Amino acid sequence: RSFPSGHVFYSYILTHIIKKNYPNNSLIKFLHNLYPLLMILSRVFLGAHYISDTIFGIFFGKFFIYLIKKIY
C-alpha cells in the first residue's frame, strides 16, 4: 500500500485535461467525475489502498492542477 494513490492522482489529472479540451461535451463531464470514482472503488476493493490514500490522491491531483494553472 502506498500513499497517496498514484492511479487516482493520474486518473483525475487525465480526465481533467480531456475535459478542458472538450468543454461542451456532457459525456466527457460525466466521465470526469465517474472515472476517478471507479478508480477509487477499484483500488480500495482490490486492497491496494486504504480509502484515505485514494482521497488524498484526488486532493493531490486537484492541487497539482491548481499549481499548473498558476504557473502557466
Side-chain angles (χ1 to χ4, degrees), residues 13-66:
I13 291 172
L14 175 67
T15 57
H16 183 79
I17 291 169
I18 293 170
K19 186 181 88 164
K20 288 296 179 185
N21 288 326
Y22 302 97
N24 298 324
N25 190 326
S26 60
L27 178 62
I28 297 293
K29 290 178 184 178
F30 175 72
L31 291 176
H32 172 66
N33 295 318
L34 180 65
Y35 185 67
L37 177 64
L38 292 175
M39 186 66 69
I40 287 170
L41 294 175
S42 70
R43 301 309 290 168
V44 173
F45 179 75
L46 292 173
H49 292 286
Y50 295 112
I51 190 74
S52 59
D53 299 343
T54 59
I55 291 171
F56 275 97
I58 288 285
F59 286 139
F60 287 146
K62 287 180 180 269
F63 182 70
F64 183 79
I65 290 168
Y66 170 78

